[in-house]
Amino acid sequence: MNTAATNWIAACDADEIDEEDVMRFDHDGRTYAIYRSPDDEYFATDGLCTHEQIHLADGLVMDHIIECPKHNGRFDYRTGQAKGAPVCVNLKTYPVKLDGGKVFLGLA
Amino acid sequence: MAGGAKPEFIVIGAGEAGARAAMALRENGFAGKVTILGDEAHRPYERPPLSKAALTDADEPQAAFILTPDRLDEHGIAHRANAPVTTIDRAAHEVHLETGERLRYDRLLIATGARARKLALPGATPESVHYLRTFEEARALRSRLTPGSHIAIIGGGFIGLELAASARARGAEVTLIELAPRLLARAVPAAIAGVIAARHEAAGVRLLLGTGIERIEAVGERHAIVLSTGERIVCDGIFAGIGAVAETALAERAGLAIENGIAVDERLATTDPDIFAAGDCCSFPHALYGGRRLRLEAWRNAQDQGNAAAKAMLGGSDAYDAVPWFWSDQYDLTLQIAGLADEGSETVTRDLGDGARLDFHLAADGRLVAASAVGPNGKIAREVRLAEMLIAKRAMPDKAALADVSVKLKGLLAG
């Protein structure tokens, strides 16, 4: 990854997301999901499920899995990996950094 | 299984359960031959969109295929379309196709699903009354849903209601006729059915509840439904969604036990240890509900049982005990049900805001046995999923906590 080309966008305050939870973030006509893991790390993926374009931020986070609120498609939000039917297409992930209590999303 | 030759597993039925089972065989390391035999012309496709997006999308719909040809190839799964099975010869371990061809199996999965129950009324013919089960039927139905056309729907269950919502979205006039005094009588509590009824009426659907039908008559190119009240409803298309009948004929002819569906044990084996059944076609004892025998017509059950049957075919001994889960989309509302509401004797309601409500169903001993919710999907889905986990844990949550929206269900799960 060429970090020099990364455009860091302030998404939210770090404490706006509970541990083991997810928040929706819309930017420039696209929607993203930002996660805070049970071990207090932050991650980001595309906001819509790869199965039927549903907002993942309405879904349930358990450990490192986000489950789509529509048909329970599951992804590892750290890697974007689809964890089985009905989802078979991985989620795109984005780099995240914390700075001054804010969560920044790294967009190309 | 006989040693030596490569084992051959056959899946009869190319629906959700059959397709999932075939994939799960590979995911669980099966290296033998896997063949899916389907009646239809298509590769396995998702049926839930047939009453929704396939009817309402602006573009001519495409079947939502579960498996691409690449994926079938990659996993070495053979899918044969237009391949109805006529006979299972258990003694010879063979299935006979309509073509006369015979295929050997070591283990067999029957995932034949269910068919639409046909309306038994004077004047109900294939020309006058239509059903929705296949992609072709969805396409035919779609062509009738034009602005200003008048569609009559018989049956206030999930299919009929989704169809009504889709027809309104396409600008058709809709009359929905239900014999019972309310919608979804067997599926959801009255309060939730009331929310759904109100939404349909707000959308302009004419709901005729507690209304019987005498007969159907041809009126030129159109048809009329004659109600028991004497009223005649003339319309451009009649659709019946009055339930489904398990496809058990093949199993029955093979001498397998039938009990409101192909009877399987807790690991989805039929009365023949080399033959399994999964999905809408089978009835199974559910450990979570005291071994009560259930037959579920549900997408997620088909998937989960497809997974479970694959493991059992490979010698696994796990009991299938997934919490039953259903959903329906109508307009901007989603309805979700986890568990079996009729196992409950008391209901506790949680107000989720924005008109969304979640009803918890508790058994007499305080155990959570089901949860039903209606509202925008984003408001209810996470809560129902957590309720489902509580049900699976046989939790006995505090009623006040269930009713209090400020108490996180995730917290109750940890307790």
Side-chain angles (χ1 to χ4, degrees), chain A residues 51-108:
Chain A
H51 177 233
E52 275 193 9
Q53 305 291 300
I54 300 295
H55 282 285
L56 289 168
D58 290 328
L60 180 65
V61 176
M62 294 295 274
D63 292 325
H64 297 111
I65 299 295
I66 174 71
E67 199 175 74
C68 176
K70 198 78 213 186
H71 306 127
N72 310 106
R74 285 164 206 171
F75 302 90
D76 185 327
Y77 56 77
R78 297 170 301 178
T79 61
Q81 192 195 5
K83 303 298 280 183
V87 293
C88 44
V89 177
N90 295 342
L91 272 179
K92 187 168 163 44
T93 59
Y94 300 88
V96 168
K97 71 174 183 184
L98 291 183
D99 195 354
K102 284 200 173 299
V103 181
F104 289 82
L105 188 60
L107 301 177

Side-chain angles (χ1 to χ4, degrees), chain A residues 18 21 61 67 70 72, chain B residues 300 329 382 385 408 410:
Chain A
D18 288 343
D21 209 346
V61 176
E67 199 175 74
K70 198 78 213 186
N72 310 106
Chain B
R300 185 145 117 204
D329 292 330
R382 194 194 303 222
R385 182 70 179 101
K408 289 196 170 188
K410 211 174 198 176

Side-chain angles (χ1 to χ4, degrees), chain B residues 268-280:
Chain B
L268 308 179
T270 67
T271 41
D272 180 324
D274 287 330
I275 305 181
F276 299 76
D280 291 16

Side-chain angles (χ1 to χ4, degrees), chain B residues 388-411:
Chain B
E388 182 195 328
M389 293 174 171
L390 288 167
I391 295 165
K393 279 184 71 174
R394 301 164 188 258
M396 302 174 84
D398 178 64
K399 286 175 205 166
L402 289 179
D404 182 353
V405 74
S406 71
V407 176
K408 289 196 170 188
L409 293 181
K410 211 174 198 176

